[in-house]
Amino acid sequence: MTLAWLCLIWVFLSATVATLPLRMQFIPGAILLVAGPVLIVVIGFEVGFVFSVIALAAYVSMFRNPLLFLLAKLRGRKPEVPR
């Protein structure tokens, strides 16, 4: 039951951070970006693989742009940061 509450809080926090101005999204967004995979792994252990795959799809959909930015940085490119 605790896992369900943690996931629900994560979703509401993500939606709240998305409504903030871009310059205020970086720190809370980074925290949520790191916390997401941790929750997905715990979902996989507690509930099952199928649900963790569904959660991973939702996570990648929600954080598509930050993940593409990090991927470009890892490849050595200089991605443009929106203003």
Side-chain angles (χ1 to χ4, degrees):
M1 191 65 175
T2 304
L3 178 61
W5 281 108
L6 288 174
C7 291
L8 187 67
I9 290 168
W10 186 90
V11 167
F12 280 116
L13 286 174
S14 295
T16 303
V17 168
T19 64
L20 295 174
L22 188 60
R23 59 177 159 55
M24 295 178 66
Q25 289 181 3
F26 287 109
I27 293 174
I31 293 169
L32 290 168
L33 192 69
V34 171
V38 173
L39 283 173
I40 292 170
V41 168
V42 174
I43 289 170
F45 284 129
E46 294 290 323
V47 183
F49 176 73
V50 173
F51 292 102
S52 66
V53 170
I54 293 169
L56 180 64
Y59 173 79
V60 169
S61 173
M62 186 179 256
F63 285 95
R64 174 180 56 249
N65 289 331
L67 291 172
L68 289 174
F69 178 84
L70 290 174
L71 185 62
K73 283 291 243 188
L74 289 174
R75 289 183 174 174
R77 297 182 183 155
K78 296 187 182 205
E80 184 178 322
V81 177
R83 297 180 189 185

